[in-house]
Amino acid sequence: MKIQIDRESHLPLYIQLSNGLRELIRNNTYRENDVFPTENQLIEELGVSRTTVREAIKSLEKQGYIKENPRKRDICFKSKIAEVLPRLCSFSKLMKDNGFDIRSEFWKSIE
């Protein structure tokens, strides 16, 4: 795992950890339905407190990147944005897909 924790940074450690884990998800180091490392693994590897790890996990869960499972480790999910974006489309495409004839017409005003 390649997460940089800078103890001299103005950013709180949990945000640095959350950002690092999020990047690992975005880079497909952790894919959908992968199991995250345990709290103890993160604590040992990064030298941070349990509170820091828990806050980072909570932040990722709120953002929709992972789902916390009390019986098992945390599970990686796709970001919510990745699920929504494919459904976004232009108004004209939406109308065409629903059977409407879309065209642009220019009208000349009579003065």
Side-chain angles (χ1 to χ4, degrees), residues 4-15:
Q4 298 292 329
I5 300 293
D6 180 5
R7 297 188 187 289
E8 302 297 318
S9 173
H10 66 282
L11 282 176
L13 296 177
Y14 82 93
I15 292 177

Side-chain angles (χ1 to χ4, degrees), residues 13-97:
L13 296 177
Y14 82 93
I15 292 177
Q16 292 181 51
L17 178 56
S18 177
N19 290 344
L21 290 170
R22 187 175 54 245
E23 282 306 309
L24 292 174
I25 293 169
R26 287 180 177 168
N27 295 339
N28 289 323
T29 300
Y30 293 107
R31 298 171 194 256
E32 189 173 2
N33 297 321
D34 280 355
V35 178
F36 256 40
T38 63
E39 283 183 7
N40 288 336
Q41 287 171 326
L42 291 169
I43 290 166
E44 273 185 41
E45 190 167 328
L46 300 169
V48 295
S49 71
R50 187 169 306 281
T51 303
T52 298
V53 171
R54 287 183 177 168
E55 287 298 316
I57 296 297
K58 192 184 306 181
S59 173
L60 290 171
E61 185 178 22
K62 284 180 182 177
Q63 295 171 41
Y65 284 100
I66 64 171
K67 181 174 181 181
E68 201 166 11
N69 184 343
R71 292 185 174 187
K72 298 180 182 180
R73 293 185 222 161
D74 302 314
I75 308 297
C76 178
F77 277 41
K78 287 192 290 191
S79 90
K80 291 178 183 177
I81 294 171
E83 294 172 3
V84 172
L85 285 179
R87 291 184 275 165
L88 297 178
C89 64
S90 70
F91 178 77
S92 58
K93 180 174 179 358
L94 181 64
M95 293 296 104
K96 284 180 185 178
D97 290 348

